[in-house]
Amino acid sequence: MIRVVIAELRKLRRPSLLLGTIATVGGLSALFTSIIFLMIDSENGNSERGERISAAELSNSMGLIYGFRLVGVFLGIVALCIFASQTAQEYSLGTLRNLLVRQPSRMKILAGKFIAMKLFALVMVLFAGALSIAISFALSGRAKVDTSSWSTSAAMQLLFENTLNIFISTLCFGAFGMILGLLLRSPISAIAVGVLWNLILENILGALIKSTAKWLPGINFQNLGAGGSLDLSYKHSLAISAGYLIIGGGLAAILFKRRDVAN
């Protein structure tokens, strides 16, 4: 299985994929973090909901990771697209048959691919966090934000906890994309269904029938990244997310193991 992981990592570091991911993640991190600090006095607000985040609020321990938290959900969507495409393209390009010649165990191939993409997602999250924090420090002077609280033990604890939560959320979105890739066997279809469901359909359904929001996968994945909320507890989202991924992953694994592989 180690060879499968190494082979998958070699695919993931292709310039077209690696540089494209870095540009996307870096652009999102820079955009959202910059908005918070550059529009700090704007009447239209400087947060994702149009609320005003003052310099005093950004001067506390949470100010260090505010921009990183905003970009967390978009990291999940990026991971969904990568996991879905890297899984489904084995069918669309016809390369799965060649993989099975070298490694007959389909479960080892599946596990190796997931481990490699999990490592890729971890690097992506760490890069986004580091860039967001660097931009926060760079713009803090212009926004008249006191950064003395950003180096305290409380700030470091918040940084660790939020990084872990965002990684778990990103991994859930990625695993969801991988399941779609295995079920649909088409990169375009898997990405389209995943993005459409998580960004549009769930929000519409949750707004029309509010009682369904706490049972929808994407909303619970997002809530994990936020560390829980008043409406949804972290434990609830963790349990619902695990349930969806275990059931969906089990079904996808069975189909992956039993389906015939065409030339």
Side-chain angles (χ1 to χ4, degrees):
M1 189 170 67
I2 295 177
R3 293 182 178 180
V4 178
V5 174
I6 295 173
E8 188 65 23
L9 286 174
R10 186 174 291 114
K11 290 170 55 181
L12 291 170
R13 71 186 187 191
R14 296 193 312 270
S16 58
L17 175 61
L18 182 60
L19 296 179
T21 302
I22 290 175
T24 302
V25 172
L28 291 172
S29 299
L31 175 63
F32 286 102
T33 306
S34 298
I35 287 175
I36 294 172
F37 289 88
L38 295 178
M39 299 183 65
I40 198 167
D41 296 321
S42 173
E43 295 181 356
N44 297 324
N46 58 338
S47 70
E48 76 277 17
R49 296 180 180 178
E51 301 172 351
R52 294 184 65 180
I53 308 299
S54 65
E57 291 178 276
L58 292 175
S59 295
N60 61 32
S61 301
M62 183 63 73
L64 176 66
I65 58 170
Y66 207 96
F68 184 31
R69 284 166 58 91
L70 289 184
V71 78
V73 61
F74 294 96
L75 296 179
I77 297 300
V78 173
L80 185 153
C81 295
I82 293 174
F83 279 49
S85 63
Q86 293 301 304
T87 303
Q89 72 178 3
E90 302 292 1
Y91 292 99
S92 60
L93 297 178
T95 54
L96 180 58
R97 186 179 184 86
N98 296 331
L99 290 176
L100 292 174
V101 171
R102 302 297 300 271
Q103 174 53 268
S105 175
R106 298 193 183 191
M107 291 299 98
K108 286 185 178 180
I109 290 178
L110 195 60
K113 290 177 71 67
F114 181 71
I115 291 173
M117 287 187 281
K118 182 167 66 173
L119 293 174
F120 188 83
L122 177 60
V123 173
M124 184 176 69
V125 169
L126 294 178
F127 171 73
L131 181 59
S132 178
I133 290 172
I135 294 174
S136 297
F137 273 105
L139 297 178
S140 60
R142 184 185 184 282
K144 298 179 181 179
V145 173
D146 181 12
T147 62
S148 58
S149 297
W150 291 5
S151 57
T152 61
S153 58
M156 294 300 103
Q157 183 177 352
L158 281 173
L159 175 60
F160 174 77
E161 290 176 353
N162 280 270
T163 301
L164 180 60
N165 289 336
I166 291 173
F167 173 64
I168 292 174
S169 173
T170 302
L171 195 58
C172 287
F173 274 106
F176 186 74
M178 190 173 185
I179 292 170
L180 290 176
L182 290 170
L183 294 177
L184 301 178
R185 295 184 289 180
S186 167
I188 296 177
S189 299
I191 292 172
V193 170
V195 173
L196 182 65
W197 174 259
N198 285 284
L199 290 185
I200 300 177
L201 296 181
E202 275 201 6
N203 291 324
I204 295 175
L205 184 59
L208 293 177
I209 310 176
K210 293 185 178 181
S211 60
T212 63
K214 63 180 181 179
W215 306 110
L216 299 174
I219 290 176
N220 282 281
F221 295 163
Q222 294 179 35
N223 193 50
L224 289 177
S229 64
L230 295 176
D231 298 325
L232 285 176
S233 69
Y234 187 88
K235 290 183 178 179
H236 173 85
S237 291
L238 190 62
I240 294 299
S241 300
Y244 273 111
L245 296 180
I246 289 173
I247 294 174
L251 176 61
I254 292 173
L255 292 176
F256 179 74
K257 187 174 182 178
R258 296 185 176 182
R259 275 173 174 165
D260 292 332
V261 178
N263 289 322

